[in-house]
């Protein structure tokens, strides 16, 4: 292993910069050259890369986003794109590639590894939708951002005695909704993984009103349905108007939490060490508070298990 390339791909996530910093500094510590590939797979196909030195990753550990930039690159989904990516890596004598991203990004990395280029994957996505790891980089920051928004919305929702629907990101995964909803004391949490009927939410709203509790906070995962649809359903059943807040992209930004920075630092260093050991196609994760690495293909085929116990707890605590 002489030269490592690092890129960030898919949706950006707070903590990606801390991971890039760890990759660059660990590589330099081991006398390896390291190049930063710009704009994810798009930049890889365009050969957009430059060598990184110690100073190039100074002053970024606390910053959200990714200094390498990121993209969604349709070309990589076809064989022609993969072959071009391999050609670019070979032309630039990159023997090891570290991909920081979600499951889509890992799909691309897995295909590149089939050509003999060593790859390692670092899970970076706010969605926490990778089954093989307890946490992905960015998730902790995102749930804290959502929590902060819930607290602010709670103030006005309580003052105006309103029913509030807060739609959060997560693609098909309900983890952002579940974790932020439990921490924020939401009355109802709606996720794609649980069959929770709208009629139950309505019962809760009406029961709450009887008890003198006029406000009601509903956290809705985007993968379940759109907030405006739920708003219409609640009105049709109860005749009560609710207010909708779609949190959107603010969930992807912000200063990474200590948890995300530490996780990213450990994972970045681990990725370099695995490549130095001659390992390839490894997905790095954290299980029961210990760093792990498993075969990327295996990581991609595992099905995410939703934490039903935690969901049930949120139901009990919001009676
Ligand atoms: P994430 O990595 O956060 O899941 P995406 O699903 O958008 O985000 O994937 C990021 C990029 O990874 C895509 O834009 C594409 O370039 C690449 N990618 C996704 N799926 C595949 C696939 N099946 N084969 C090759 N590359 C893929
Ligand atoms: O994967 C991260 C994420 O923010 C998802 O939660 C969301 O569904 C998606 O990306 C939005 O993607 P885009 O940036 O393409 O709008």
């Amino acid at each position: 292993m002489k030269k490592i390339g690092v890129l960030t791909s898919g949706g950006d996530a707070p903590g990606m910069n801390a991971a890039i910093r760890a990759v660059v500094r660990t590589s330099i510590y081991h006398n390896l050259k390291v190049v930063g590939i710009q704009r994810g797979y798009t930049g890889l196909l365009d050969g957009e890369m430059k060598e990184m030195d110690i100073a190039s990753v100074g002053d970024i550990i606390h910053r959200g986003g990714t200094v390498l930039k990121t993209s969604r690159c349709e070309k990589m989904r076809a064989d022609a794109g993969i072959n071009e990516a391999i050609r670019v890596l070979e032309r630039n004598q990159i023997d090891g590639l570290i991909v920081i991203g979600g499951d889509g990004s890992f799909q691309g990395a897995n295909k590149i590894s089939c050509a003999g280029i060593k790859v390692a994957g670092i899970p970076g996505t706010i969605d926490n939708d990778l089954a093989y790891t307890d946490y992905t980089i960015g998730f902790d920051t995102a749930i804290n951002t959502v929590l902060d928004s819930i607290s602010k919305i709670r103030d006005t929702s309580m003052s105006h005695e309103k029913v509030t629907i807060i739609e959060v990101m997560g693609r098909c995964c309900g983890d952002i909704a579940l974790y932020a909803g439990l921490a924020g004391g939401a009355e109802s949490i709606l996720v794609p993984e649980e069959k929770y009927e709208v009629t139950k939410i309505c019962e809760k709203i009406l029961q709450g009103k009887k008890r003198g509790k006029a406000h009601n906070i509903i956290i809705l995962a985007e993968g379940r349905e759109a907030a405006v649809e739920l708003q219409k359903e609640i009105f049709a059943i109860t005749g009560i108007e609710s207010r909708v807040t779609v949190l959107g992209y603010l969930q992807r930004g912000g200063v990474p939490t200590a948890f995300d920075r530490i996780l990213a630092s450990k994972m970045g260093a681990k990725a370099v060490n695995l490549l130095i050991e001659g390992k390839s196609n490894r997905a790095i994760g954290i299980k029961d508070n210990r760093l792990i690495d498993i075969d990327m293909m295996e990581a991609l085929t595992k099905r995410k298990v939703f934490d039903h116990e935690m969901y049930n707890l949120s139901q009990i605590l919001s009676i």
Side-chain angles (χ1 to χ4, degrees), residues 140-201:
D140 186 63
T141 307
I143 58 173
N144 278 289
T145 301
V146 173
L147 187 57
D148 180 55
S149 303
I150 295 174
S151 306
K152 286 171 177 155
I153 293 169
R154 176 185 282 280
D155 288 346
T156 173
S157 144
M158 196 196 66
S159 307
H160 283 265
E161 303 181 299
K162 288 275 184 247
V163 173
T164 302
I165 303 168
I166 304 174
E167 184 187 304
V168 301
M169 280 185 165
R171 277 198 182 163
C172 302
C173 178
D175 276 18
I176 295 180
L178 173 63
Y179 281 68
L182 178 67
E187 272 69 32
S188 298
I189 301 171
L190 272 94
V191 292
E193 297 91 339
E194 286 279 351
K195 274 203 182 98
Y196 187 74
E197 305 300 332
V198 179
T199 47
K200 279 199 183 158
I201 297 175

Side-chain angles (χ1 to χ4, degrees), residues 201-211 216 237-238 240:
I201 297 175
C202 296
E203 274 167 30
K204 246 185 188 174
I205 295 170
L206 296 172
Q207 275 166 10
K209 274 202 180 297
K210 267 193 207 146
R211 287 191 349 238
N216 186 297
I237 298 170
T238 62
I240 294 172

Side-chain angles (χ1 to χ4, degrees), residues 18 39 58 80 109 151 163 183 194 238 253 288 290 310 317:
R39 295 166 39 239
S151 306
V163 173
E194 286 279 351
T238 62
D288 303 325
R290 293 181 72 86
M310 187 165 159
L317 300 185

